[in-house]
Amino acid sequence: PNPNPTRAVQTPFARITYSDALILLRNASRKESRGERVMVEEMHWGDDLKTEHERYLAEEVFKRPVIVTNYPKAIKAFYMRQDDTNDTKRQTVSSFDILAPRIGELVGGSQREERLNKLVRSMDQAGLDKGLYQWYIDLRRYGSIPHAGFGIGFDRLVQVMTGVENIRDVIPFPRVHGSIDF
């Protein structure tokens, strides 16, 4: 177990954009030929980060929790607020993930899109049936304010705070394959 589980909150978190994180990951891939840390595959702008990438950033590069911001719009949910940028090839959203050593993503969040026209365009691009989301569209149509939300992996938080190595050992309600009938 982790000898000092509160170290994660005693040390300031690092902060980096997705684009800058990608540069670090590309450089890590290139070091493979020199016998150093190996990344499974070359990263390209727009690829989602895998757990091994997240852990590499938190464990090897920063050696502490790291906040990655401004992910590509194409890999995030339709309701995330599109960043105001002139770069039409690299559109990003106002989002973040908090990555923790040994875990990877611990928290994910974003500002929500409050601009009706951009929200509807994003739904069209995602191929969503707007009829099913009319209530959500109406929330924007009849008034909304800039707001945000986040989600935290409770099991992962317990794992970080206790230092338990395997997430299966901290799940409060274990699931067993084939045990639930629908």
Side-chain angles (χ1 to χ4, degrees):
N2 187 351
N4 185 3
T6 60
R7 180 182 180 278
V9 294
Q10 294 171 342
T11 307
F13 291 10
R15 184 178 170 129
I16 190 170
T17 66
Y18 168 89
S19 295
D20 289 341
L22 193 61
I23 291 168
L24 294 173
L25 293 168
R26 284 181 179 160
N27 289 339
S29 289
R30 291 188 187 104
K31 291 179 181 178
E32 177 181 343
S33 62
R34 290 185 243 150
E36 296 179 25
R37 175 93 178 176
V38 176
M39 301 308 287
V40 170
E41 60 190 51
E42 179 75 16
M43 295 288 299
H44 302 282
W45 201 93
D47 290 346
D48 205 357
L49 300 182
K50 296 180 179 173
T51 301
E52 69 179 305
H53 302 127
E54 296 168 345
R55 289 188 58 187
Y56 177 79
L57 291 168
E59 293 171 17
E60 304 292 329
V61 175
F62 295 102
K63 300 182 182 346
R64 59 187 165 146
V66 58
I67 302 169
V68 180
T69 62
N70 303 92
Y71 279 84
K73 179 180 186 246
I75 62 172
K76 292 296 184 178
F78 75 93
Y79 55 77
M80 293 186 179
R81 188 179 203 279
Q82 185 173 329
D83 290 327
D84 296 321
T85 179
N86 293 329
D87 190 346
T88 57
K89 292 182 181 176
R90 292 193 171 185
Q91 294 178 338
T92 58
V93 291
S94 297
S95 62
F96 73 92
D97 286 343
I98 298 177
L99 313 179
R102 298 183 312 106
I103 306 293
E105 182 183 339
L106 179 62
V107 179
S110 72
Q111 183 174 345
R112 306 310 195 219
E113 184 60 77
E114 81 281 1
R115 301 165 294 185
L116 179 61
N117 61 334
K118 294 206 178 232
L119 177 67
V120 170
R121 189 175 320 123
S122 184
M123 293 174 85
D124 287 340
Q125 291 169 346
L128 298 175
D129 179 357
K130 290 190 294 282
L132 296 174
Y133 293 92
Q134 194 59 49
W135 63 273
Y136 194 77
I137 295 170
D138 286 346
L139 289 172
R140 300 305 182 271
R141 178 176 291 123
Y142 299 118
S144 184
I145 58 170
H147 62 287
F150 71 93
I152 186 166
F154 179 74
D155 302 343
R156 294 175 181 195
L157 177 62
V158 171
Q159 192 178 5
V160 166
M161 297 310 295
T162 62
V164 172
E165 292 291 325
N166 195 315
I167 196 165
R168 290 180 298 212
D169 296 330
V170 298
I171 296 174
F173 304 103
R175 295 172 292 216
V176 178
H177 178 70
S179 66
I180 301 174
D181 295 326
F182 288 101

